[in-house]
Amino acid sequence: VQLQASGGGLVQPGGSLRLSCAASGSIMRVNVMGWYRQAPGGQRELVASVTIGGATNVAGSVKGRFSVSRNNAENTVSLQMDILKPEDTGVYYCYAEITPRPWGSLPGHYWGQGTQVTVSS
């Protein structure tokens, strides 16, 4: 099972970016998909996640500015980031809880490679 993230980059304050992530491999079900981030010198923190049923969990610091969505058929998750602030700078990691094949396998936690988001003028 692999997670492949794309997007990120440098943007000015107030700008927008979109991150995308795709899960691939021998997958039975992708239970949860989402994004964490880690600021320089900081700990990794949850940004937003979405369950297979569509329930979302969005961090208070980004609520109203970021939105998370997923495509269950394609096992992808996206993070739309609007009104970006300098404090949103960090490495963003795609995350998923996945139940792999074969039937009866236990779910595991998977991480994609980090993608840098820099908000600066």
Side-chain angles (χ1 to χ4, degrees), residues 6-8 11-12 14-21 33-37 47-50 56-59 61-71 76-85 88 92-94 115 117 119:
S6 61
V11 65
Q12 292 186 342
S16 298
L17 282 174
R18 186 176 181 86
L19 305 181
S20 297
C21 177
M33 297 192 83
W35 297 89
Y36 281 70
R37 70 183 181 188
V47 178
S49 64
V50 54
T56 60
N57 183 15
V58 180
S61 60
V62 304
K63 195 165 290 186
R65 300 187 295 120
F66 292 11
S67 61
V68 61
S69 60
R70 65 182 284 176
N71 183 318
T76 58
V77 64
S78 295
L79 182 69
Q80 178 65 38
M81 304 183 291
D82 298 319
I83 318 176
L84 281 158
K85 303 177 180 180
D88 295 319
Y92 284 66
Y93 296 90
C94 177
T115 184
V117 171
V119 185

Side-chain angles (χ1 to χ4, degrees), residues 75-115:
N75 289 332
T76 58
V77 64
S78 295
L79 182 69
Q80 178 65 38
M81 304 183 291
D82 298 319
I83 318 176
L84 281 158
K85 303 177 180 180
E87 51 263 43
D88 295 319
T89 294
V91 179
Y92 284 66
Y93 296 90
C94 177
Y95 158 83
E97 181 193 282
I98 294 172
T99 302
R101 296 182 187 276
W103 183 266
S105 297
L106 294 176
H109 301 274
Y110 297 85
W111 296 90
Q113 84 282 11
T115 184

